Amino acid sequence: MVDRLVNSEANARRITMVESCFGSSGQPLGVPGRVLVGEGVLTKMCRKKPKARQFFLFNDILVYGNIVINKKKYNKQHIIPLEEVKLESLDDEGQYVNGWLIRTASKSFAVYAATSTEKQEWMAHINKCIEDLLRKSGKKAVEVHAAVWVPDNEATACMHCKKTQFTVLNRRHHCRKCGAVVCGPCSNKRFLLPNQSSKPLRVCLHCYEFLTSAKKQHSGPNNDLANRGSADSSGEEDSDEDDDTMKGQPDAHDLPNDYYATTKFRPFTFIFRTHPGITYMLKVIATHTYTHTLTDYY
């Protein structure tokens, strides 16, 4: 089905529409062979709190961005090659339900759908795109993935020394190897993690000891200055780059207490579906307003 949409006018039109929604802040998305498979709103677990993000699934990349004006304007575009992606389902826990991990070599994070059906469809279609992409390219799946950061609000004290309480002065930092929330003294080392950056990154003392020990076993003792630099407290490398809101605008995407009991987000719909049943199609017609007819998608 995807192959049939590659050179279609409908596909080109949809991709152009996504590009226009990101404007000059986004990268061009229209490349030969690319198909927009589906789109929808997911809740991304950011460093400070969960926030709504608009996601677009293509047959070779996953794109997401901040919602400025729903369905009209997005910013802070992120592009993830699907060949790097690995999905892991998350068990429901309290208010966090219908979630899964999106793991990549450079960044990993959790997302949540409004319903279990949406979760199943998202995961099924992403995995299908990954499978098709790897099969066609002949590449192997990436085996090393970045750690998922522990959210700030889940750690009131350093997860390494268990002593330092976080305050305005004692800031939180994240280990790039394990994702733990640690204090400055417990993360004053840096180590080169090639999959994440070309520069040495902040790691906790436990991971630093493990990484240096493993390095010595493979290459022998050496004086690696790049991996021994102390981490400053500027915090520039500790920010979640899509975690900021636009200045002068309220954060309209914070989760209310009854979020999962509401229909705040429009239900997710894919552009193509394998053998859609009549019950599903009638439900879609009854609950959605489309700019295109259903026949455009099949």
Side-chain angles (χ1 to χ4, degrees), residues 95 100 105 127 131 140 142 172 197 200 202-203 249 254 279:
Q95 66 169 327
W100 67 96
N127 280 327
E131 178 185 339
K140 294 183 179 180
V142 175
R172 292 172 172 84
S197 175
R202 181 189 296 271
V203 293
Q249 291 190 11
D254 290 351
T279 302

Side-chain angles (χ1 to χ4, degrees), residues 123-246:
M123 294 189 70
H125 284 282
I126 293 175
N127 280 327
K128 183 64 167 61
C129 288
I130 294 172
E131 178 185 339
D132 291 344
L133 186 63
L134 293 177
R135 186 183 70 252
K136 292 178 181 179
S137 66
K139 296 181 179 179
K140 294 183 179 180
V142 175
E143 297 181 353
V144 179
H145 301 91
V148 178
W149 284 16
V150 176
D152 283 3
N153 59 8
E154 291 189 12
T156 58
C158 175
M159 298 175 69
H160 186 274
C161 67
K162 314 292 185 182
K163 297 178 180 180
T164 303
Q165 297 292 318
F166 295 122
T167 64
V168 175
L169 298 179
N170 290 326
R171 297 177 56 246
R172 292 172 172 84
H173 299 280
H174 280 83
C175 172
R176 294 308 190 277
K177 177 61 178 177
C178 66
V181 182
V182 289
C183 64
C186 288
S187 59
N188 63 359
K189 299 291 185 180
R190 293 175 185 259
F191 199 90
L192 184 62
L193 303 174
N195 291 327
Q196 297 189 41
S197 175
S198 59
K199 299 179 180 180
L201 298 175
R202 181 189 296 271
V203 293
C204 68
L205 297 180
H206 175 77
C207 287
Y208 181 78
E209 182 180 351
F210 172 81
L211 290 168
T212 53
S213 175
K215 183 179 179 65
K216 289 178 180 179
Q217 290 179 4
H218 286 85
S219 60
N222 59 56
N223 185 23
D224 191 347
L225 295 178
N227 285 335
R228 297 207 306 166
S230 62
D232 61 37
S233 58
S234 64
E236 180 179 354
E237 85 284 6
D238 282 285
S239 64
D240 189 355
E241 62 269 26
D242 65 334
D243 193 40
D244 299 321
T245 56
M246 294 188 68

Side-chain angles (χ1 to χ4, degrees), residues 86-90 99-103 119 123 127 145:
K86 178 182 178 181
L87 304 185
E88 292 182 21
S89 181
L90 291 173
W100 67 96
L101 297 179
I102 297 178
R103 291 187 175 274
K119 172 185 175 178
M123 294 189 70
N127 280 327
H145 301 91

Side-chain angles (χ1 to χ4, degrees), residues 1-3 37 57-61 82-83 85 87 120-136 270 272-274:
M1 182 63 71
V2 171
D3 292 338
V37 178
L57 174 62
F58 295 82
N59 61 335
D60 62 334
I61 59 174
L82 286 182
E83 60 189 22
V85 173
L87 304 185
Q120 293 170 6
E121 291 200 351
W122 268 110
M123 294 189 70
H125 284 282
I126 293 175
N127 280 327
K128 183 64 167 61
C129 288
I130 294 172
E131 178 185 339
D132 291 344
L133 186 63
L134 293 177
R135 186 183 70 252
K136 292 178 181 179
F270 279 97
F272 80 92
R273 173 180 287 267
T274 304

Side-chain angles (χ1 to χ4, degrees), residues 44-60:
K44 178 179 177 290
M45 184 63 73
C46 297
R47 175 180 178 176
K48 296 185 181 297
K49 50 189 171 182
K51 294 188 177 182
R53 296 289 183 254
Q54 181 72 30
F55 280 77
F56 298 92
L57 174 62
F58 295 82
N59 61 335
D60 62 334

